[in-house]
Amino acid sequence: MENVIEIKHLNKSYGTHEVLKDIDFNVKKGEVVCIIGSSGSGKSTLLRCINLLEKPSGGMILYNEENILDEKHDINKYRTKLGMVFQQFNLFNNHNVLSNCMVGQMEVLGRSKKEAEEVAMKYLKYVGMDQYINAKPKQLSGGQKQRVAIARALSMEPDVMLFDEPTSALDPEMVGEVLKVMKELAETGITMLVVTHEMGFAREVSDRVVFMNQGVIAEEGTPEQIFNNPTGERTREFLKRTL
Amino acid sequence: MKKNRKYSIFTIILALSLFVGFGWNSSLISASNTGDKTTNNQEEDVFRVGMEAGYPPFNWTQMDKSNGAVPIDGTKEYAGGYDVEIAKIIAKSLGKKLVIVKTEWDGLVPALTSGKIDAIIAGMSPTKERKETIDFTDIYYKSNLIMVVKNGSKYENATSIKDFSGAKITAQLNTFHYNVIDQIKGVNKQIAMDNFTAMRVALQSGMIDGYVSERPEGVSASRANKDFVMVEFKDGFKTSEEDTAVSVGVAKNSPLTGKINEALAGVSEKDREKIMDDAITNQPGTGKTTILTIIKDNGPMFLRGAGMTLLISMTGTVLGFAIGLLVGLVRTIPTPSKRSKKVIKNIVNGLLAAYIEFFRGTPMIVQAMVIYYGSAIAFDIQMNRLAAAIFIVSINTGAYMSEIIRGGIVSVDKGQFEAAQAVGMNHFQTMKNVILPQVIRNILPATGNEFVINIKDTSVLNVISVTELFFQTKTVAGTNFNYFKSFFVACVLYFVMTFTVTRILRYIERKLDGPDNYIMMANQMQVEKIPSLEDK
């Protein structure tokens, strides 16, 4: 399988503090990759570098073999290929559920209102939020918000879905509904990159698990390798604490 | 005569204009100071006369054309009085149509030098200072100084200025009235007051024992309000002719001077007395005045003033909001990575910051003078008063709103920007679709505040003779001499306007917020079958 995303020698530092150190990392088409690791290990930063919410300090990010850090590259067009789901949902507060899923399609992709509405409804139904199309974000629970956020990202019909700790801000009883949607999504064959603390999800759903520690990729492999036979000392310690 | 004010405000305009860096040169000044230049700006067959229309019996405002009153330019009101009668005689002799331009006292000389009017006929004395800037014709009235005191006070029957030893006396600021108070031995001289309104209120409330004025004003005051008595002196103030005489002010070297003198020569001393007596008899507000009669007599005037106030403040707030939005938007553009673009952004930001600082840092009343009269004197631009008023309020509100909007943008959660960027929106798409709608909701209370402030602050525009509520009330009070009652009506009107506006905005806020809970309804909109993701 070809690589959708290829990351070479990626560095990111805030002042003298190095958050990412010389990361090499690839994501293949249709692959579901989970990134695990303790807080401050750089996993969220890596994800945010990929859609350029953080500007890398050095290295290369290739998307379908094009260097997206090149100044001439159209960042906004590139971002439409990546669907982002945030920890804090970040639904547009001024739009209702339906419109949250339509505004990007209409403004950025130039779709007609009718088309955008059809697409949005398709994905809202998919996440089970089609009954709430007129609700404002403040009227929804955390789990509902996150499902709408997933539908919003899917409405742009991206090639890759990025999840940045999508269940970390949820009450425990709402984690399940979001993970269920994500599992179903993983089965459709869409490329997914998930930063998560949900080890069960990572073990069950991912094709590959990446363990990050102190700004470097400490270990990566299939779920069986990482969870059953971790080789690194750090990985073992981390899993012992979290499982 | 009345009002030997120095050109304090005029000087401020000059200084500020230079400070702001107006392209100033002497040829421009002399151009706008010559008579023929000014007449070029106006229709040739019109004689434009400036007066306060609020200084009875010389000039006042009334609602109808009774007793030979003349319509005031740009309003539905009429001006009457001694000055108006004299103006009619002059206009007739010039063979031109008389147009009365209602102008604040401080605005008269600037209006003349900037060519907005052809002559000042407003009870103005030909003093040395004024003669440096404008020319005067021959005298058309001469008067004596008197003292206005409270009815029933111990000064009621005074005959000499010596009787006022120990009394608290004041007069109008920057007039010779104030200077002559020093002639009273042992007087308790009070701080000068800005206008007759203030002095009459002070006298009524007992803050002062009397104020120095001139006979016609004294007659009017005592006739209009029983609380006031005029004291005429046997042994009075020593005055010079240039103080007690009244003549017509015209532009320097105006060809009008000679013609007006010819016209004035045709009015005998006896005619003048007759005209003045008629004026004193005809002046409005001599009956019993209650709040109800004030509303009945001047209702339309108050309402037009309130309407004007609302128009200016509303248009000003809306335009100011637009300016603020634009400036706020530009100032929050993320710093570009290209060097050349960075420099442009810094320059633009610098200019915008200068705009905000300048208009926030100077009083609106001074800006009004600089912009309205300054533009006429320096650039020969004749601005429409209403347009000038809206312009001034708009750029002022814009300066405040820019900062409010910038603060609003900064306070929106960072996640909203990121989510918009993540779906591929650029800065302007992000602002338009996500950030600004939230900013506008969040700054609605602050905007309402600006609107309310504007309703109140438009009152300072009376300095450029905009006929807003405060200006109209001053005119009403100036003719009926009932300050408390007249301004009470204005007070109520202002409150009704601001209160209504606040309520409406609060309603809009609630409407925008919507309920906190979502009541799920049967979804009528989407009944058609939606393909599932797997079908894709």
Side-chain angles (χ1 to χ4, degrees):
Chain A
M1 274 193 287
E2 68 207 271
N3 287 328
V4 184
I5 295 169
E6 265 179 79
I7 292 171
K8 291 175 179 167
H9 307 295
L10 184 72
N11 283 299
K12 172 69 188 175
S13 44
Y14 299 106
T16 55
H17 178 59
E18 278 192 298
V19 187
L20 296 178
K21 300 166 198 164
D22 200 28
I23 301 272
D24 283 305
F25 176 61
N26 300 326
V27 180
K28 291 191 176 68
K29 197 168 187 318
E31 205 179 12
V32 177
V33 181
C34 281
I35 305 175
I36 58 171
S38 49
S39 301
S41 58
K43 51 192 193 312
S44 280
T45 310
L46 174 60
L47 197 74
R48 291 165 59 82
C49 277
I50 290 173
N51 74 351
L52 298 176
L53 287 176
E54 301 288 344
K55 203 168 180 259
S57 314
M60 266 164 87
I61 298 175
L62 301 183
Y63 174 77
N64 287 337
E65 294 171 356
E66 275 177 58
N67 184 8
I68 57 150
L69 296 180
D70 185 23
E71 266 195 21
K72 286 178 202 116
H73 200 87
D74 185 347
I75 293 174
N76 292 324
K77 199 175 164 199
Y78 162 68
R79 278 174 169 156
T80 63
K81 305 287 184 195
L82 308 175
M84 179 81 173
V85 177
F86 296 87
Q87 182 180 348
Q88 299 295 340
F89 331 123
N90 296 344
L91 292 181
F92 303 137
N93 292 327
N94 55 315
H95 292 275
N96 65 21
V97 166
L98 182 62
S99 161
N100 254 284
C101 301
M102 287 168 63
V103 62
Q105 297 186 59
M106 285 155 70
E107 279 291 328
V108 184
L109 301 178
R111 286 181 183 160
S112 71
K113 194 172 176 221
K114 189 166 167 284
E115 193 187 358
E117 193 174 311
E118 270 169 25
V119 174
M121 280 312 297
K122 177 169 106 183
Y123 291 105
L124 281 170
K125 194 150 201 172
Y126 181 72
V127 300
M129 287 300 291
D130 54 328
Q131 297 286 296
Y132 293 86
I133 52 168
N134 291 316
K136 281 286 182 74
K138 70 167 184 178
Q139 296 165 329
L140 302 176
S141 72
Q144 290 174 326
K145 279 186 205 172
Q146 196 60 298
R147 284 190 278 149
V148 174
I150 293 170
R152 173 177 70 183
L154 288 171
S155 296
M156 298 297 286
E157 301 186 314
D159 294 341
V160 180
M161 285 290 287
L162 307 177
F163 292 85
D164 187 5
E165 303 195 27
T167 56
S168 297
L170 295 176
D171 291 337
E173 72 264 29
M174 290 171 185
V175 171
E177 60 185 86
V178 174
L179 289 183
K180 183 170 161 275
V181 169
M182 288 171 67
K183 259 179 222 166
E184 285 170 20
L185 193 59
E187 283 157 18
T188 63
I190 191 169
T191 313
M192 281 169 68
L193 193 50
V194 185
V195 171
T196 187
H197 289 291
E198 295 292 332
M199 294 306 148
F201 175 83
R203 183 178 229 163
E204 194 184 328
V205 176
S206 46
D207 299 313
R208 185 153 55 103
V209 176
V210 174
F211 172 67
M212 282 189 74
N213 188 46
Q214 293 182 341
V216 296
I217 293 176
E219 192 171 348
E220 60 179 310
T222 61
E224 288 76 41
Q225 281 170 351
I226 298 292
F227 289 105
N228 300 336
N229 303 301
T231 54
E233 181 67 24
R234 296 278 180 200
T235 322
R236 274 203 292 275
E237 256 176 52
F238 172 76
L239 290 172
K240 211 160 122 194
R241 267 187 287 126
T242 49
L243 288 177
Chain B
M1 201 57 214
K2 171 201 177 184
K3 305 164 179 183
N4 264 338
R5 290 217 189 172
K6 285 151 201 153
Y7 301 130
S8 47
I9 294 179
F10 186 56
T11 331
I12 291 172
I13 294 173
L14 286 174
L16 266 171
S17 309
L18 288 168
F19 172 69
V20 173
F22 280 176
W24 191 281
N25 61 58
S26 52
S27 68
L28 223 63
I29 296 172
S30 58
S32 53
N33 275 351
T34 53
D36 33 359
K37 175 81 187 177
T38 54
T39 44
N40 282 345
N41 292 331
Q42 322 291 350
E43 295 160 62
E44 288 290 340
D45 53 350
V46 162
F47 180 50
R48 298 175 70 89
V49 172
M51 62 179 66
E52 286 172 285
Y55 181 57
F58 281 95
N59 48 67
W60 66 75
T61 305
Q62 61 187 49
M63 305 312 300
D64 53 36
K65 55 181 180 183
S66 62
N67 301 319
V70 174
I72 296 174
D73 190 34
T75 73
K76 284 179 181 160
E77 290 136 25
Y78 296 82
Y82 183 82
D83 286 335
V84 176
E85 293 306 315
I86 295 291
K88 276 155 79 177
I89 293 167
I90 295 169
K92 197 177 170 196
S93 136
L94 293 175
K96 292 185 179 182
K97 186 176 177 294
L98 175 63
V99 172
I100 301 290
V101 181
K102 191 170 175 176
T103 309
E104 274 294 282
W105 176 252
D106 286 323
L108 284 169
V109 171
L112 183 65
T113 54
S114 60
K116 289 177 194 290
I117 53 174
D118 299 319
I120 300 170
I121 308 184
M124 189 179 267
S125 301
T127 61
K128 261 186 212 134
E129 290 96 335
R130 284 189 192 124
K131 280 178 180 166
E132 283 166 18
T133 325
I134 59 173
D135 279 353
F136 284 97
T137 64
D138 293 341
I139 291 164
Y140 71 89
Y141 189 75
K142 204 163 171 309
S143 168
N144 327 314
L145 287 181
I146 50 89
M147 189 84 82
V148 178
V149 299
K150 207 172 171 181
N151 193 4
S153 75
K154 62 173 173 173
Y155 301 106
E156 195 181 4
N157 299 315
T159 52
S160 158
I161 60 169
K162 289 188 189 103
D163 297 335
F164 285 90
S165 178
K168 289 180 280 184
I169 301 298
T170 190
Q172 193 175 16
L173 184 71
N174 287 334
T175 59
F176 81 101
H177 301 171
Y178 193 62
N179 300 333
V180 299
I181 296 174
D182 295 331
Q183 294 177 19
I184 308 170
K185 277 207 184 100
V187 73
N188 185 356
K189 191 177 181 180
Q190 302 291 301
I191 291 170
M193 294 195 188
D194 197 40
N195 51 47
F196 281 88
T197 315
M199 290 189 290
R200 288 170 198 145
V201 172
L203 180 59
Q204 235 172 348
S205 64
M207 276 161 61
I208 55 171
D209 294 320
Y211 66 85
V212 180
S213 181
E214 288 167 36
R215 202 171 174 282
E217 197 275 336
V219 173
S220 312
S222 52
R223 280 196 190 194
N225 194 320
K226 283 197 301 295
D227 275 353
F228 300 132
V229 172
M230 176 179 76
V231 173
E232 288 182 90
F233 298 111
K234 290 197 182 81
D235 180 13
F237 295 107
K238 287 176 180 60
T239 54
S240 65
E241 173 147 304
E242 76 162 17
D243 286 334
T244 51
V246 173
S247 48
V248 180
V250 286
K252 277 259 181 237
N253 308 317
S254 169
L256 285 171
T257 316
K259 291 176 196 164
I260 292 174
N261 282 340
E262 272 174 44
L264 290 177
V267 188
S268 69
E269 187 78 32
K270 222 177 170 184
D271 293 341
R272 286 183 198 173
E273 261 173 42
K274 165 102 175 52
I275 295 170
M276 181 51 88
D277 285 350
D278 287 348
I280 292 176
T281 316
N282 292 337
Q283 63 183 312
T286 40
K288 188 167 161 40
T289 334
T290 64
I291 288 183
L292 279 179
T293 59
I294 290 176
I295 295 171
K296 203 170 141 253
D297 293 348
N298 307 290
M301 212 161 146
F302 276 119
L303 286 184
R304 272 200 298 275
M308 185 63 97
T309 290
L310 216 50
L311 172 71
I312 296 170
S313 49
M314 191 182 284
T315 323
T317 309
V318 169
L319 292 178
F321 189 85
I323 295 172
L325 214 54
L326 208 67
V327 174
L329 205 60
V330 171
R331 290 188 92 197
T332 49
I333 291 176
T335 313
S337 45
K338 261 193 195 153
R339 211 205 174 89
S340 56
K341 280 187 184 169
K342 218 183 252 178
V343 172
I344 294 172
K345 180 177 148 63
N346 285 342
I347 293 172
V348 171
N349 272 356
L351 287 175
L352 293 177
Y355 155 69
I356 292 168
E357 293 304 330
F358 182 78
F359 282 100
R360 283 202 313 180
T362 53
M364 192 155 89
I365 190 167
V366 177
Q367 293 164 16
M369 295 300 261
V370 171
I371 290 168
Y372 184 62
Y373 292 118
S375 64
I377 294 169
F379 297 122
D380 225 358
I381 301 167
Q382 303 291 339
M383 276 176 112
N384 171 297
R385 267 190 295 269
L386 178 62
I390 290 173
F391 177 71
I392 290 156
V393 176
S394 300
I395 51 173
N396 239 286
T397 314
Y400 282 96
M401 287 308 297
S402 313
E403 283 301 274
I404 293 172
I405 285 164
R406 195 173 66 89
I409 292 172
V410 171
S411 70
V412 169
D413 177 28
K414 210 172 133 233
Q416 298 286 313
F417 289 88
E418 288 186 348
Q421 283 165 15
V423 296
M425 290 188 194
N426 60 32
H427 178 70
F428 284 97
Q429 287 169 334
T430 305
M431 285 294 167
K432 183 187 119 200
N433 294 297
V434 179
I435 307 304
L436 288 183
Q438 297 184 43
V439 168
I440 288 168
R441 161 63 192 93
N442 289 340
I443 64 167
L444 215 59
T447 312
N449 227 1
E450 277 300 311
F451 194 177
V452 166
I453 288 172
N454 278 343
I455 289 176
K456 296 185 291 175
D457 280 6
T458 45
S459 57
V460 307
L461 294 170
N462 78 78
V463 296
I464 58 166
S465 309
V466 179
T467 52
E468 41 71 48
L469 182 54
F470 184 76
F471 186 81
Q472 298 288 67
T473 313
K474 257 171 78 171
T475 312
V476 170
T479 37
N480 68 18
F481 294 88
N482 269 282
Y483 299 93
F484 172 73
K485 287 168 190 163
S486 306
F487 279 96
F488 182 77
V489 174
C491 196
V492 170
L493 282 173
Y494 273 117
F495 182 75
V496 166
M497 284 195 280
T498 54
F499 189 73
T500 314
V501 164
T502 341
R503 289 293 110 179
I504 291 173
L505 284 170
R506 188 62 46 78
Y507 175 77
I508 295 172
E509 265 176 53
R510 273 206 305 271
K511 203 86 189 157
L512 281 179
D513 284 350
D516 280 339
N517 297 307
Y518 183 61
I519 301 137
M520 203 162 47
M521 292 165 286
N523 192 348
Q524 305 106 324
M525 250 177 83
Q526 295 295 330
V527 282
E528 78 246 56
K529 218 174 152 197
I530 289 137
S532 68
L533 190 70
E534 283 79 4
D535 302 339
K536 189 181 160 187

